[in-house]
């Protein structure tokens, strides 16, 4: 019998699964694109349909030998469920900022400058449910369960309600250094609702085997009854795991619409004034931040064809000396955490090729500044950078970044978050053995 492992990625545009064997080789890939303009009331059913679909699309002979499954979801996409795991309201997505309405209350509960004091944090969304919407008043006197997207999807498979991982739970306020919910969080929630009526998830390490799939799901999806469902992670950390970075000092830069830096470190760095926080990754720490600069700014000025064509005409060895801070609108999070920071896109040369080069150089300079700040604050020194996202395909940009970063820039082994989740499932079972 061959052992296979499924990783499932729930992104913003759809779900994807990757199945690997014990050597890490991909043996199957499936996907379920989300239809456009789906009404929020349909999200829960859509996610469930997508989950079952990406598993059922896997060839039957592979499904029959699946040992474990792990799921990643978008960070801070959350649900409030009844004691049967049925959502009592529409889920709140990762980028929903309705939590702005409770920030003053949140500042009274959480320590100053804590990660959760953000309109899109998981805790801000929970407090919005408890105060602005008073959701618990609409329910019988039974507990409400607060879950992240990956938690709920995993529950649909293993049937154990109320279990999460410490990656998803960081933005809820979970203390990942001490493996507990801090007293300020418990006391703060207790002041809003009797905690017999609210169940925060039990938190385990990502990859931890939680339980086998239920017999009903095993029969429905034609999976072995022994198939374990492992605790998941967030989409961005799953992509980091897929990259191949595993030694302290290695990092992953995602050059998507924004610029995201993640550095593997022996020590955690939490410097919220600079937009830096850390996830636990086994005995190590994944530290970094996200800037609003990136590919989104480039697309304001250039089409994909222009980016490709103009990039080929740039000589990266001759710098422009243009000093930009490319943003679509005011405000950045990292390495300068300032909501009032203004874009700087002047002077703009007449030659579009020179303008593009100035933008690429400036984004590379911000990336280097981010890694320098992490190291100044005590992170493990940078040794090499893997690059993910659309910008990774631009060799001119890579050459420019090389000059600023001064460390090797590597191609990731894999770029799909689903692959990272499959690795999580495999290592979770191996560690259990």
């Amino acid at each position: 019998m061959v052992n296979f492992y499924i990783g499932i990625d729930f992104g913003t545009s759809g779900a994807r699964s990757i199945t690997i064997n014990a050597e890490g080789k991909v043996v199957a890939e499936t996907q379920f694109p989300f239809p456009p303009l789906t009404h929020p009331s349909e999200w829960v059913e859509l996610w469930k349909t997508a989950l079952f679909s990406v598993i059922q699309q896997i060839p039957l002979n592979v499904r029959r030998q699946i040992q474990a499954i792990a799921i990643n979801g978008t960070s801070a996409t959350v649900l409030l469920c009844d004691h049967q795991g049925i959502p009592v309201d529409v889920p709140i997505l990762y980028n929903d900022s309705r939590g702005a309405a409770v920030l003053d209350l949140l500042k009274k509960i959480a320590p100053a400058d804590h990660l959760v004091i953000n309109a899109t944090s998981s805790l801000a969304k929970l407090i919005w449910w408890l105060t602005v919407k008073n959701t618990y008043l609409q329910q019988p006197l039974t507990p409400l369960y607060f879950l992240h997207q990956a938690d709920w999807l995993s529950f649909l498979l293993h049937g154990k309600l109320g279990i999460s991982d410490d990656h998803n739970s960081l933005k809820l306020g979970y203390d990942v250094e001490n493996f507990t919910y801090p007293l300020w969080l418990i006391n703060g929630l207790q002041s809003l609702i009797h905690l017999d009526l609210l169940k925060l998830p039990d938190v385990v390490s990502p990859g931890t085997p939680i339980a086998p799939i239920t017999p009903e799901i095993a029969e429905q999806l034609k999976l072995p009854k022994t198939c374990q469902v492992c605790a998941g992670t967030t989409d961005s950390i799953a992509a980091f795991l897929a990259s191949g970075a595993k030694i302290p000092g290695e990092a992953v830069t995602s050059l998507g619409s924004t610029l995201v830096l993640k550095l593997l470190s022996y020590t955690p760095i939490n410097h919220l004034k600079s937009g830096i926080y850390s996830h636990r990754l086994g005995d190590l720490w994944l530290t970094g931040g996200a800037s609003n600069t990136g590919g989104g700014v480039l697309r304001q000025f250039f089409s994909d064809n222009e980016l490709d064509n103009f990039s080929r005409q740039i000589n990266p060895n001759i710098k422009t000396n243009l000093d930009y801070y490319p943003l679509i609108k005011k405000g950045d999070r990292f390495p300068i955490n300032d909501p009032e920071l203004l874009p700087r896109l002047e002077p703009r040369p007449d030659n579009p090729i020179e303008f593009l080069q100035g933008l690429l150089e400036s984004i590379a300079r911000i990336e280097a500044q981010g890694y320098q700040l992490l190291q100044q604050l005590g992170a493990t020194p940078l040794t090499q950078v893997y690059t993910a996202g659309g910008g990774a395909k631009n060799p001119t940009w890579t050459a420019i970044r090389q000059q600023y970063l001064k460390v090797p820039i590597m191609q990731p082994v894999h770029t799909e978050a689903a692959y990272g989740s499959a690795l999580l499932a495999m290592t979770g079972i191996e560690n259990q053995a």
Side-chain angles (χ1 to χ4, degrees):
M1 181 175 175
V2 181
N3 292 339
F4 297 122
Y5 307 88
I6 302 176
I8 302 176
D9 166 44
F10 269 76
T12 55
S13 60
R16 175 186 294 270
S17 90
I18 289 181
T19 305
I20 62 174
N21 63 17
E23 286 73 48
K25 181 182 178 182
V26 176
V27 296
E29 295 185 59
T30 68
Q31 58 182 332
F32 183 97
F34 295 154
L37 303 175
T38 308
H39 191 273
S41 63
E42 300 172 349
W43 289 342
V44 164
E45 201 56 41
L46 178 65
W47 293 347
K48 182 177 180 180
T49 300
L51 173 64
F52 289 1
S53 174
V54 295
I55 295 175
Q56 288 171 320
Q57 290 176 54
I58 298 168
L60 183 60
N61 65 314
V62 175
R63 258 184 288 156
R64 292 289 193 189
Q65 301 176 81
I66 298 296
Q67 297 299 298
I69 300 172
I71 301 173
N72 73 72
T74 49
S75 176
T77 292
V78 294
L79 305 93
L80 203 59
C81 302
D82 66 14
H83 64 287
Q84 296 178 304
I86 299 170
V88 299
D89 197 4
V90 172
I92 303 180
L93 298 189
Y94 68 102
N95 59 351
D96 190 306
S97 59
R98 73 184 69 185
V102 299
L103 281 181
D104 287 342
L105 176 57
L106 193 48
K107 288 174 182 175
K108 295 176 182 176
I109 293 173
D113 296 320
H114 195 282
L115 174 69
V116 298
I117 304 176
N118 185 301
T120 62
S121 76
S122 301
L123 183 57
K125 291 163 184 166
L126 173 57
I127 291 177
W128 181 88
W129 260 318
L130 298 180
T131 57
V132 176
K133 192 156 188 186
N134 292 320
T135 305
Y136 65 96
L137 295 178
Q138 303 160 29
Q139 305 302 314
L141 291 179
T142 55
L144 291 174
Y145 286 78
F146 183 76
L147 298 173
H148 306 90
Q149 182 186 38
D151 310 339
W152 184 75
L153 291 164
S154 298
F155 156 75
L156 295 180
L157 300 179
H158 59 58
K160 306 289 185 184
L161 187 60
I163 301 176
S164 187
D165 63 88
D166 59 54
H167 292 166
N168 274 294
S169 299
L170 186 70
K171 292 180 182 178
L172 177 57
Y174 185 77
D175 182 347
V176 296
E177 292 194 52
N178 297 300
F179 301 104
T180 187
Y181 287 109
L183 211 52
W184 64 259
L185 176 60
I186 300 301
N187 291 339
L189 291 175
Q190 184 78 60
S191 69
L192 303 176
I193 181 175
H194 196 288
L195 287 186
D196 285 345
L197 299 178
L198 176 66
K199 298 292 186 183
L200 297 179
D202 294 328
V203 179
V204 299
S205 297
T208 301
I210 296 171
I213 56 172
T214 65
E216 296 79 13
I217 294 296
E219 178 61 31
Q220 180 179 349
L221 301 181
K222 302 296 185 284
L223 293 166
K225 292 180 181 178
T226 54
C227 174
Q228 291 280 332
V229 182
C230 299
T233 182
T234 66
D235 52 349
S236 63
I237 296 180
F240 180 93
L241 296 173
S243 72
K246 60 181 74 172
I247 300 170
E250 295 183 336
V252 173
T253 294
S254 177
L255 296 174
S257 57
T258 59
L259 175 73
V260 182
L261 276 55
K262 293 186 182 299
L263 171 65
L264 198 57
S265 175
Y266 285 112
T267 53
I269 307 297
N270 293 293
H271 195 262
L272 275 300
K273 289 183 178 179
S274 301
I276 298 169
Y277 58 92
S278 297
H279 285 279
R280 183 180 285 276
L281 205 59
D283 295 330
L284 302 172
W285 295 89
L286 195 54
T287 186
S291 171
N292 294 335
T293 194
V297 184
L298 300 179
R299 284 196 166 80
Q300 268 196 315
F301 300 103
F302 304 101
S303 67
D304 286 348
N305 284 338
E306 287 173 329
L307 284 170
D308 184 53
N309 184 31
F310 293 163
S311 293
R312 293 174 190 274
Q313 301 178 59
I314 291 172
N315 182 349
N317 296 315
I318 303 174
K319 293 186 178 180
T320 64
N321 295 317
L322 293 168
D323 183 18
Y324 299 144
Y325 203 104
L327 297 170
I328 293 176
K329 58 184 180 181
K330 75 173 183 178
D332 202 6
R333 300 168 286 168
F334 166 83
I336 300 173
N337 188 5
D338 180 1
E340 300 300 318
L341 184 68
L342 294 174
R344 190 169 68 248
L345 296 163
E346 299 289 342
R348 180 170 175 177
D350 294 332
N351 185 340
I353 298 170
E354 185 181 358
F355 180 50
L356 173 59
Q357 183 175 351
L359 291 173
L360 295 178
E361 288 172 351
S362 298
I363 296 171
R365 192 159 44 242
I366 293 168
E367 178 187 3
Q369 185 182 343
Y371 282 122
Q372 288 163 8
L373 180 59
L374 290 172
Q375 292 166 95
Q376 287 167 10
L377 293 170
T380 300
L382 183 69
T383 58
Q384 63 182 24
V385 176
Y386 293 86
T387 310
K393 301 171 186 173
N394 187 323
T396 303
W397 200 356
T398 300
I400 290 171
R401 293 172 55 232
Q402 182 81 65
Q403 295 175 12
Y404 286 92
L405 292 174
K406 296 180 171 53
V407 296
I409 295 178
M410 315 292 291
Q411 285 295 320
V413 179
H414 293 275
T415 58
E416 295 289 348
Y419 185 89
S421 288
L423 287 179
L424 201 58
M426 181 173 71
T427 55
I429 295 302
E430 289 176 347
N431 291 341
Q432 184 186 47

